[in-house]
Structure formats: structure tokens, C-alpha cells
Amino acid sequence: MEDLDDPIDGAHGRWVRLARARGESVPFTIDGIPVRGHAGQMLIAAILAVRPDFGCLPPDRRSRAGFCLIGLCQDCWVRLADGRRVRACTTPLEAGMAVRLDPSDESW
Amino acid sequence: MSSDPLVVIVGAGPAGMAAARTLVEGGLRPLVLEKGPTPGGRLWQRPATVDFERRLPGHDPDRAERGVSDFLGIVDRIDWYPGTTVLDATRDRLWALGSDGVIDQTPWDALLVATGALDRVVPLPGWTLAGVYTLGGAQAALKVHGCAVGRRVAFLGTGPLLWLAAAQHLAAGAEVALVADTSHRLGALPALPDLLSDPQRLALGLACFRIVRRAGVPIRLGVRAAIVEGNETVRAISVESRGGRRHFTCDAVAMGFGLVPQTQLLDLLDVPFDLVPTSGLWLPRTDRSGRTPVPRVYAAGDGARVLGGDAARLSGERAALAILEDLGRPTDPERVARLERELARQERFARGLARAFPFPAELEARTDDDTVVCRCEGVTAGAIASAVRTFGRHDVNAVKALTRCGMGRCQGRLCGPAAARIAARAAGVPLGEAGRLRAQPPIEPLPARARCMVTEPNG
Amino acid sequence: MNGARSRLRTEVAIVGGGLVGCSTALHLARRRVPCVLLEAERCGAHASGVNYGGVRQQGRALAELPLAGRARRIWGRLERLVGGDGEFRATGHLRLARDEAEAAALEGWIREAARYGVHGELLSREALRARFPWLGEGFAAGSFSADDGQANPRLVAPLFARAARSEGATILEGRTVVAIERAPPGFVLRAEPELELEARVLVNAAGAWGTRIARLLGEELPSEPIAPNMLVSEPLPFRIEPNLGMAGPGIYLRQVPDGSVIFGGGRGTVDLERRRCRPSFATSLATIGEACRVVPELARASIIRTWAGIEGRTPDDLPIIGPSPRMAGLFHAFGFSGHGFMLAPAVGAVLAELILDGHSATSLAGLEPARFAPGSAAAA
Ligand SMILES: Cc1cc2nc3c(=O)[nH]c(=O)nc-3n(C[C@H](O)[C@H](O)[C@H](O)COP(=O)(O)OP(=O)(O)OC[C@H]3O[C@@H](n4cnc5c(N)ncnc54)[C@H](O)[C@@H]3O)c2cc1C
Ligand code: FES
């Protein structure tokens, strides 16, 4: 099977692509590192193509990688650099999005 | 302008879409609110922006496209709000959050709730590790995003979706580590007469089973226990069945034990619920027409009773006719009768499924003390049992208050049924006495930054 | 038993299984006095179990301070009294003034309260900034009381009920008192389903339903039902140590170490007859807006739950506590007007003393029912 998404150095993606995505390839960043995804796909797919998880959330801070994918379990919230928090499985990827997963720069 | 009554439909899956079309035919202009960016719901969800080399079993993108474009064909005759999540409902108004972050409210004269269903999970050791997904989640990753949720995926649970999802993954070229079903093959025999009521769906089910078998994937039936292994992330799954306990290496698990209707809005509107003893779920009281005991409130599709995609469409149509009837509009009694006959057939098939794939109540009741039940708040089965014993309370809402189980971001959607089972068992009372977690607004997280367009005095 | 009512007899009957009723039962039982508590639903089902959880002396009417001081001492040793700390934490209470007039009010209160041994520290605009960097702009001053704090009402109410039971009090849940008759020297209570209870002394601890219970005996004590509206955020990194309140009207807010930010303000809706209340979405939105002005970074979070609780509010916003002015053996303790959680542990102690000793060292001046009795001096 063909891996169409470039993994970030040192990390690896969790999801494995099995079908060709139609959307055009667009740039975005994760913790400042430039990566690419497909326009129109949900953020969760774009992130997990190159990362194993979203990092941790309080209260128990276990590592998360989504669960239900239909916006109900709330296990996939991620921060954007503009201060927004979004649910990765219901938020479409947009070119230029800056995702922050690193908890060390987390205020609220 | 017109003073037609305002009918609001929440959810534009097959049920909501069918209802909208029927109401338009009946001369009304319904308001349709849908959380997703496009219509279609679970079954026909988009963006289906991926191309598979082979057809997936039970997945018909063309039919989905037709269903959706049918609906899009009437959007100029309805008020259509995609990207809109209803957060609260009272007897005279709804509050909803738009994708632009704006909160709005709408009055309503009749309300059809068609909010679909979520996979039912059983808390197992390791089920909160990254890499465990619901069956529906794994299926969405595949159908919508064209991805498998891992390099080697194990499927665990029971029900037609288990086999369908596994077969679809195989057809798409995914590596499947295992299919483990808590049901026994023999259980399917007595269910056969009911299952024969829909030969097409039965045939699809059997085809999926064959696909899994032919692919040489390990199959375990009658699974009595399962543990997801790993530290932070899934490394393996071990399952125990008659043949003993075995490990299977995998980096992802897709699990699901049937579906749970998303009934929070009906609950907020005071629709009464009844316990279904076979499944152990509380379901909103509705009749075949979709009417609830609360005047002007209707329910259809998986959000009321899980009968499947065709039934969802039919029940949406039926509920829309009930709305028209109740508004004193003419409806065709022949059509009503035909729909009810067809729904009765789907109910019969669903009974067969429930028999062939019974919910593994024992597995749920025997949840280890150390196992996390509430993944949002990290509450274990032991904490629940100990609260029950310490305070002599087994009502699941009291358990929630004492332990935080069900208080987290998902509002108890995932843990509610299991928490009730564990509480009832700890107290030694029948399941029904533990009750059900009550919904609280907002039924989905409300971003504090959301702006409100409504200015009015409090209260 | 074919429909026959069971009939019980006891020394003290308590109507209401909130914190007030349960702490009364606990203190009576500790002195080995037989008592029976009747609760319509479950102990802690209403205000006591679902309130905000603020435990503060700061900002209270002076008439409440003797009781509040005693309550504070009990909070500090809750573990010994009821076998659990109810997550009580002395985190301090920070009260915020928006303008100079409110700042002056805070300062005035600190001066007055000092006479009761209660301490507050006035903080300037700059001091607020330095000490609480997460605080929004626009506060003229604040006052901080280090002794105050917060607790988890969902735990405290059941802890008191359990402790009362284990000390020997009889607590009957699911029993709604529907009629009371004077049967000198005591009372006969009728409860549904099927129970008659005979008692020498009666304690009305029925919360928002207190006015109705009093009315069953022909006593008119005013209170109206209110439903304070509450919200909680998703868990966030822990930053807000103190319990926050406003000098003027407005929101109250605290964060628990688990991360949830709990806050409230405004009202939901209430139906006393059906014993139900409901948060109001419009109120919640207004409260969120205000909370984000107090703690701006809250705007990044999501609100995951709202609720309301039913409380009784009196015309002067002070509770009605003490003996009936007209009827020997009848005691009232209700109408806490939104701030009884903190007081309740002491209310039970004081009532037990009034019932058993005829007096208490803790002054109830200004809180007694007599202030509403027609013709009494206090009513003027
Ligand atoms: C995980 C899963 C996989 C399935 N796979 C298959 C399959 O492969 N083949 C098959 O034949 N059947 C499948 N089914 C069954 C079939 O999908 C359902 O029977 C059918 O889609 C139900 O239709 P519905 O309209 O009731 O619900 P849904 O299709 O789920 O639609 C409900 C809609 O309501 C929206 N909604 C929910 N809450 C709100 C709110 N508060 N505000 C606004 N909108 C809201 C949702 O976003 C959703 O779009 C599956 C079901 C599930 C749950
Ligand atoms: S994965 Fe469940 S809400 Fe996104």
C-alpha cells in the first residue's frame, strides 16, 4: 500500500492511507513544523497521517487519538495557534492552519 | 407572510432527509438543522472525497450521492442549516450553535428529532489507549477519509457492523489482525426466521462473514473476555473464548457492541423512557408513527430506535406524515399503512439481529475494578462500586454525582449504560433500578467564545 | 398490611434531607436523641447536593457571622465529624470591586467583620494584577479572605446523611410530608407513601418548600423559590486557586484541582409543584459572557454542562432559623437565600442546642422567624 502522506521526522503517523484523496494538497503546521494534508479532509485525518496522537488533555492526561469520529466522544480536541480549540474530527483542514499539540506551551 | 406552523427537523441523516422531503410535499417549509457540513448523516456521510480501487461491501457511493443530491434538490423549499448543532431544547424553543460560532434560537411548533446513534462500548482493560476506536469511527476513517486507523486493526464486539466494518477494511486492502465476536454462531439459528424477513440484508451479512473467512483472518466467536494491551498506545489484544486465551499483535482496535440512540434532546423535552430488558438500554417512548407522549415532539431513525438505514428513511417519512396528520393536513392512508407494514418488517429483522448478536451483559457487569469506565474523567469500575457501597446509592445519577463518572466532555454518552450496569451489580439490584443518566444542556460542548445573536432578558 | 399506614413515634421529626436537615439529625443523634428525618426524594437531591460549593464568610450580612464563624470551625474538621473532608479546601475567597463605590463597600465590610474576628485583606488594582495574573481588566480593588474556601456539595450532602445514619438517626427517603397536625404536646406528620410520624418536636428544614411546610401549621413565613443557574467548563490546567465573587451583583467562579471551572450567576426556571428546575440557556450565555470578562482566558474553553438547583429566598435575603414565635416545639431553618451551604453544618448544631438545652451560645439575632411574625417587634 502506498503511503501518500509524509511523516514528520522522528514521529510516525497512526493512520494508513488506503484510497487516493481527491482534495488538493495543502500546507499546514503542527507545533510549527510544516506538513501537508488534503483540503476538505477533517483535521483528525490530516494530523494522524503524520502523528501518532494529539498529546494529552486534562484531567487524566492520557494520550489521545480520537475515538468515535462523529463529534460525540470529545476525545479529539486540539488547539490552534490563534487560541481556538477545535474538535479535530468535525473541523475541516484549511490551508495554513497552525495546530498546537505540545502541552508545554499550553496556557488555557 | 405565511403563518404556516414551523416544523423543525434536527439531523439530516436518512431519517431527517426523508422527513424533510415528505413535509415539503405536504406543503410545509421545514427548518432542518444538521451538525455536519453536509447532509447524509452516518450512512451517507461526506466528504466522500476518496476513491477506492475496489467496491466495498455494503458501501454504495452512488446511492449515497443520489440520496444526498435528492435532498439538495429541495433545499430551496426548506430552511437548511448545515454545520448547526442543537444544544438545548425547551417546549417552545431550540438553541443552536452554528459553524460560524454564533448561537441562535428558534421557536418551533413541531419538532422531529432524528439525531442518529453512537456505538455502544463495553469498558475493557486498555480500551482508553490511543489506537482504540469505535467500529463506527474506524468505518468513518475508511469511508470518509480513505484511511485505516492503524497498520493492523483488530475488530472486537458484536453485531452486523462488526463484520461489515471488518469486511470493508479487507476489501479496501487493510490488514486485519482479528475479528472477535462475543456472540456464538449457534445463537444465529433461532434468529433465522426473523432475519429472513430481509433477505438482502441477511445476504450482505453472510457475504461479510465469508469475506473475513476467505481472507484467512483469525476469527473468535463466543468471546468471554478481552484485554487491549499496550502502554499509551495499542500493541496487542488478547481475547478469551472457548479455545482459551490468545494474543494478537495489532496497533489499532475497532470495537462496538451495537448502537445507542442519541436521545439527549428528547430527554430535555421530558419524553419518558423505558428500559428494554434485552439490550439493557433505555429508549424514548415512541410508537411506529414516531409520535412521543409529549405533544408536538416526534422521533425517527436511529435516534429513536436502531433499525438500520432503510428503516431510518421510512420512519422519517412516517413521522413527517404524523406531523402532517396532527396539523390537520391531508395524508394518504394507503401510504401510511404501507410504511407501517414496511417498518414492522424492519422491526422483525432487528429482533432477529438482537437475538443473533445479543449484548454481552455479563462482560459489562464483570468489568474489573481497575478498568476505566468513564474515559473523560478517568473513573474506574472500582470507584463506582465503592461509591455504591459506601453511600448505599445505586441510581446512576447519584453515582455520577459521587464519582464524576459521566460528568466529562462527552456527557456520559459512552459510559452511561455501563456505569448503570456496574452500579446495579454492586448494589445487587436489577439493572432498571440504576436508572439512566439524565441529559443536561448543552448536549454538546459550548465554546465559551460563541457569540449570541439574541438579546433578551434572562430567564 | 393492606394499606394500613405504618406509624412511627420519635422525639424529633425533621422535614427535609438537605444539609440542614441532615446536620440537625447528626447533631441530635450524637446526643443520643431519637429523631426521624423524612425526605421526599433523596438526601441532597436539591440545593444541598447541587449548589456552587462556595464556603465563605466574606461578604455575608453581619447577622450571619456568628453562625458562619461556628460553621467555619466545623468545615475545618469535617473529616472527624462525618468521615470525609467533602473536598473542602481553604483556598481563600477573592471578592472583586468594579468601581470605587464597590471598593469602599469591601473596605467597610472588612472593618465591620473584624469585630467578629473575621479577617479580610484589601488589594489594590496593582496588587490584584500581581497576585492573580489570570484576572481580567477593570477591577478597581479586591478583598481577599484567606480562611474562606470551597467544597464539593455532591459529596458533602451524602456524607452528612451517612454520618447521621451511623450515629443512629432514622433517615427515610422517598417520603413526602403532605399534612401536619398539632397534637399537643407534639405533632403528627402524614407522609406519602403511607407513613404517620408522631413527634414532640418538629424541625422544618424543607428548603424552598419551607414556606409551604410552615403553612401546613398555619404559620406564614415568606420565601419564594429561585433556581440559581450553574455551569461547568471542560477540565483546564489548574490556575485559579481562590473562590471568586463580586462585590456587587454578578457571577461567582472557582476551579477545582481536577481542572473544571465551576461558575454561576442568574437564574434558571423552577416548578415547585413538580419539584423540578432547569437551567436557562439565555442565562447561561449571559453568565458565560460575564465570566469571560472576569477570567478572559476562559473564552478558550468549552462549557460542558449546566444545571440549576431549587432554593428558597426570603424578602431580606437572610435565612429563617429558630423557634416558631407561636408554637412550642416547632423550629424552622429554611430560606437560606442562596448561601446556606456554608452555614448548614453549624445550623444543625445550633438547632440541636435550642431543642435540647433551650439556648445556644451562637447568636441567631436577626435570623429568627419572629421577624416576620405579624405584631412582633422584630417584624416592624
Ligand atoms: C457507526 C455506524 C455505521 C453504520 N454503517 C452502516 C453501513 O455501513 N451500512 C448500513 O446499511 N447501515 C449502517 N449503519 C446504519 C445506518 O447508518 C443508520 O441506520 C442510519 O444512517 C440512521 O439514520 P438516521 O438519520 O437516523 O441517523 P444518522 O444518519 O446518524 O443522522 C443523524 C444526523 O443528525 C445529526 N445530529 C445529531 N445531533 C445533532 C444536533 N444536536 N444538532 C444538529 N444535528 C445533529 C448528525 O450529525 C447526523 O447527521 C451504520 C450506523 C452506524 C451508527
Ligand atoms: S473522535 Fe470523537 S469527537 Fe472527535
Side-chain angles (χ1 to χ4, degrees):
Chain A
M1 67 195 75
E2 187 187 0
D3 213 330
L4 300 176
D5 303 287
D6 313 318
I8 296 180
D9 282 342
H12 65 86
R14 173 174 296 279
W15 288 11
V16 180
R17 182 158 287 290
L18 299 172
R20 191 172 294 277
R22 271 180 235 155
E24 65 171 312
S25 165
V26 295
F28 71 109
T29 64
I30 300 176
D31 292 332
I33 301 170
V35 281
R36 301 189 78 85
H38 300 284
Q41 83 184 139
M42 293 297 161
L43 209 43
I44 189 170
I47 296 172
L48 294 180
V50 293
R51 281 290 189 109
D53 57 51
F54 300 134
C56 313
L57 273 182
D60 57 348
R61 300 202 163 274
R62 69 186 154 75
S63 84
R64 282 157 213 254
F67 185 63
C68 75
L69 267 75
I70 54 166
L72 290 176
C73 76
Q74 319 301 337
D75 233 18
C76 65
W77 286 81
V78 297
R79 287 173 297 131
L80 301 183
D82 63 8
R84 269 187 301 159
R85 298 160 142 264
V86 297
R87 198 163 49 193
C89 75
T90 55
T91 306
L93 174 68
E94 290 161 23
M97 268 182 167
V99 176
R100 313 285 321 179
L101 300 181
D102 183 356
S104 68
D105 67 346
E106 174 181 32
S107 56
W108 263 6
Chain B
M1 290 214 329
S2 84
S3 58
D4 272 344
L6 179 54
V7 182
V8 178
I9 299 172
V10 184
M17 293 194 300
R21 165 168 293 279
T22 308
L23 290 169
V24 166
E25 288 163 5
L28 292 177
R29 186 182 179 87
L31 170 62
V32 183
L33 307 174
E34 161 59 44
K35 174 170 140 179
T38 54
R42 219 48 207 283
L43 184 52
W44 293 338
Q45 76 188 322
R46 299 201 295 177
T49 49
V50 293
D51 297 312
F52 289 99
E53 274 165 25
R54 290 168 51 193
R55 218 177 82 70
L56 308 185
H59 178 45
D60 186 345
D62 299 334
R63 178 149 177 247
E65 207 49 51
R66 272 200 309 281
V68 171
S69 45
D70 255 16
F71 176 79
L72 293 175
I74 61 162
V75 287
D76 55 344
R77 285 182 282 163
I78 65 175
D79 290 306
W80 165 233
Y81 287 86
T84 304
T85 305
V86 176
L87 297 178
D88 193 5
T90 62
R91 293 284 170 99
D92 59 1
R93 73 186 67 187
L94 291 180
W95 294 88
L97 170 70
S99 51
D100 50 2
V102 174
I103 304 257
D104 213 339
Q105 60 162 330
T106 176
W108 55 272
D109 296 308
L111 178 64
L112 175 61
V113 177
T115 44
L118 171 65
D119 296 73
R120 185 169 187 185
V121 295
V122 171
L124 298 167
W127 76 289
T128 57
L129 290 172
V132 180
Y133 291 89
T134 62
L135 284 173
Q139 209 189 22
L142 186 70
K143 293 199 309 191
V144 183
H145 301 292
C147 294
V149 289
R151 282 164 180 73
R152 249 173 94 75
V153 188
F155 290 81
L156 167 69
T158 194
L161 190 55
L162 175 70
W163 297 92
L164 178 65
Q168 287 176 336
H169 275 75
L170 286 167
E175 198 181 331
V176 174
L178 165 76
V179 179
D181 192 330
T182 51
S183 304
H184 296 267
R185 195 173 347 186
L186 285 180
L189 275 183
L192 209 55
D194 282 336
L195 293 178
L196 281 167
S197 66
D198 192 337
Q200 245 178 313
R201 283 177 73 191
L202 178 59
L204 173 62
L206 294 173
C208 291
F209 190 76
R210 261 196 318 274
I211 291 173
V212 173
R213 168 136 291 169
R214 290 219 179 112
V217 170
I219 294 176
R220 290 290 179 277
L221 300 179
V223 166
R224 291 190 293 247
I227 297 176
V228 184
E229 294 169 7
N231 168 24
E232 296 262 303
T233 184
V234 176
R235 298 269 173 244
I237 184 168
S238 82
V239 298
E240 188 187 311
S241 59
R242 190 140 39 150
R245 179 173 279 279
R246 272 224 32 208
H247 281 259
F248 299 87
T249 307
C250 60
D251 64 350
V253 173
M255 72 182 253
F257 298 81
L259 299 172
V260 185
Q262 293 301 295
T263 53
Q264 290 76 11
L265 285 177
L266 297 170
D267 194 3
L268 291 177
L269 289 162
D270 286 336
V271 171
F273 282 62
D274 300 301
L275 178 68
V276 181
T278 44
S279 66
L281 290 180
W282 292 82
L283 294 187
R285 204 173 296 162
T286 58
D287 60 18
R288 202 169 277 157
S289 74
R291 291 181 177 92
T292 72
V294 178
R296 305 181 292 116
V297 176
Y298 306 79
D302 281 3
R305 291 181 302 164
V306 174
L307 299 175
D310 286 336
R313 190 171 42 76
L314 298 167
S315 71
E317 186 177 342
R318 177 63 191 96
L321 292 175
I323 293 172
L324 291 168
E325 285 161 12
D326 296 349
L327 291 171
R329 307 272 168 138
T331 55
D332 173 7
E334 281 292 306
R335 184 178 177 192
V336 169
R338 182 180 47 75
L339 284 170
E340 296 210 347
R341 263 196 318 276
E342 192 49 37
L343 279 168
R345 189 167 74 98
Q346 297 292 339
E347 284 165 19
R348 183 159 175 220
F349 188 78
R351 268 201 308 278
L353 285 181
R355 207 148 172 199
F357 301 103
F359 178 76
E362 254 312 289
L363 187 63
E364 187 176 64
R366 281 190 288 104
T367 305
D368 284 344
D369 276 0
D370 296 337
T371 300
V372 168
V373 176
C374 170
R375 63 193 280 119
C376 299
E377 294 288 331
V379 181
T380 62
I384 293 172
S386 132
V388 167
R389 285 191 288 264
T390 308
F391 290 100
R393 287 265 196 292
H394 51 256
D395 171 67
V396 68
N397 295 287
V399 168
K400 170 178 169 181
L402 292 166
T403 63
R404 309 192 58 84
C405 179
M407 275 198 176
R409 292 177 174 91
C410 90
Q411 288 260 36
R413 277 181 171 81
L414 290 165
C415 66
R421 175 98 55 191
I422 292 160
R425 183 182 164 106
V429 299
L431 177 63
E433 286 185 31
R436 65 193 173 88
L437 279 184
R438 297 296 308 261
Q440 286 176 282
I443 62 168
E444 290 193 31
L446 161 62
R449 66 195 294 146
R451 285 162 301 134
C452 181
M453 289 293 107
V454 191
T455 44
E456 65 165 354
N458 282 353
Chain C
M1 278 201 281
N2 272 344
R5 289 180 173 276
S6 28
R7 193 174 173 109
L8 295 177
R9 181 175 294 176
T10 188
E11 242 338 83
V12 182
I14 301 168
V15 183
L19 212 43
V20 171
C22 288
S23 91
T24 305
L26 171 62
H27 287 283
L28 289 169
R30 281 163 63 94
R31 292 180 62 177
R32 300 291 158 247
V33 177
C35 60
V36 175
L37 181 154
L38 302 179
E39 161 58 42
E41 296 167 48
R42 297 273 167 263
C43 288
H46 288 290
S48 295
V50 301
N51 63 70
Y52 164 68
V55 177
R56 61 166 177 89
Q57 290 175 266
Q58 198 192 161
R60 284 182 183 272
L62 299 178
E64 287 182 355
L65 286 187
L67 197 56
R70 181 157 180 194
R72 177 60 185 82
R73 290 191 291 281
I74 299 179
W75 280 105
R77 53 183 169 80
L78 212 57
E79 177 92 50
R80 261 185 297 156
L81 184 64
V82 298
D85 67 2
E87 293 175 8
F88 171 71
R89 294 177 299 128
T91 58
H93 175 58
L94 176 63
R95 243 171 144 70
L96 298 164
R98 291 198 178 78
D99 53 34
E100 292 309 320
E102 286 185 356
L106 287 180
E107 196 172 1
W109 189 90
I110 290 178
R111 209 175 322 110
E112 297 282 334
R115 293 194 283 120
Y116 295 81
V118 180
H119 300 289
E121 173 193 357
L122 201 67
L123 301 173
S124 67
R125 192 186 293 267
E126 296 67 36
L128 281 178
R129 275 234 137 294
R131 219 160 126 180
F132 308 108
W134 36 261
L135 205 57
E137 303 284 338
F139 295 106
S143 67
F144 186 77
S145 49
D147 262 358
D148 287 337
Q150 45 191 298
N152 182 347
R154 299 189 316 267
L155 298 181
V156 174
L159 280 171
F160 269 84
R162 187 185 63 158
R165 258 200 188 112
S166 65
E167 290 284 355
T170 301
I171 294 187
L172 301 178
E173 300 182 303
R175 304 286 181 152
T176 310
V177 174
V178 295
I180 307 176
E181 269 160 46
R182 185 84 173 121
F187 304 84
V188 178
L189 292 79
R190 199 151 57 74
E192 298 293 351
E194 46 188 51
L195 177 75
E196 256 175 33
L197 175 62
E198 211 179 300
R200 195 180 58 79
V201 171
L202 174 61
V203 176
N204 170 12
W209 293 266
T211 291
R212 294 186 172 202
I213 292 296
R215 211 172 275 156
L216 291 178
L217 285 162
E219 192 137 290
E220 201 51 44
L221 293 169
S223 75
E224 51 153 356
I226 58 171
N229 201 80
M230 302 290 315
L231 305 90
V232 63
S233 77
E234 63 182 317
L236 300 162
F238 184 59
R239 296 182 68 197
I240 302 178
E241 180 82 9
N243 168 12
L244 301 185
M246 298 294 130
I251 62 139
Y252 33 100
L253 182 150
R254 66 190 180 98
Q255 187 178 18
V256 296
D258 271 345
S260 311
V261 176
I262 300 164
F263 59 110
R267 304 273 163 78
T269 56
V270 49
D271 179 343
L272 212 51
E273 211 58 59
R274 293 175 60 222
R275 320 184 62 89
R276 299 271 302 263
C277 65
R278 192 186 195 294
S280 148
F281 207 82
T283 302
S284 295
L285 291 175
T287 307
I288 292 168
E290 242 190 284
C292 290
R293 281 189 286 280
V294 177
V295 183
E297 281 191 77
L298 189 61
R300 296 187 177 190
S302 283
I303 305 309
I304 58 175
R305 198 155 24 89
T306 66
W307 71 97
I310 308 180
E311 167 75 321
R313 181 188 184 191
T314 65
D316 58 9
D317 272 325
L318 292 175
I320 296 172
I321 311 174
S324 154
R326 299 186 348 198
M327 209 173 279
L330 173 60
F331 293 80
H332 297 287
F334 69 93
F336 283 83
S337 305
H339 40 263
F341 176 61
M342 188 276 174
L343 298 177
V347 175
V350 173
L351 281 182
E353 289 160 1
L354 291 179
I355 293 168
L356 303 179
D357 313 330
H359 60 86
S360 168
T362 306
S363 164
L364 291 176
L367 308 179
E368 284 154 322
R371 73 187 190 276
F372 294 116
S376 87

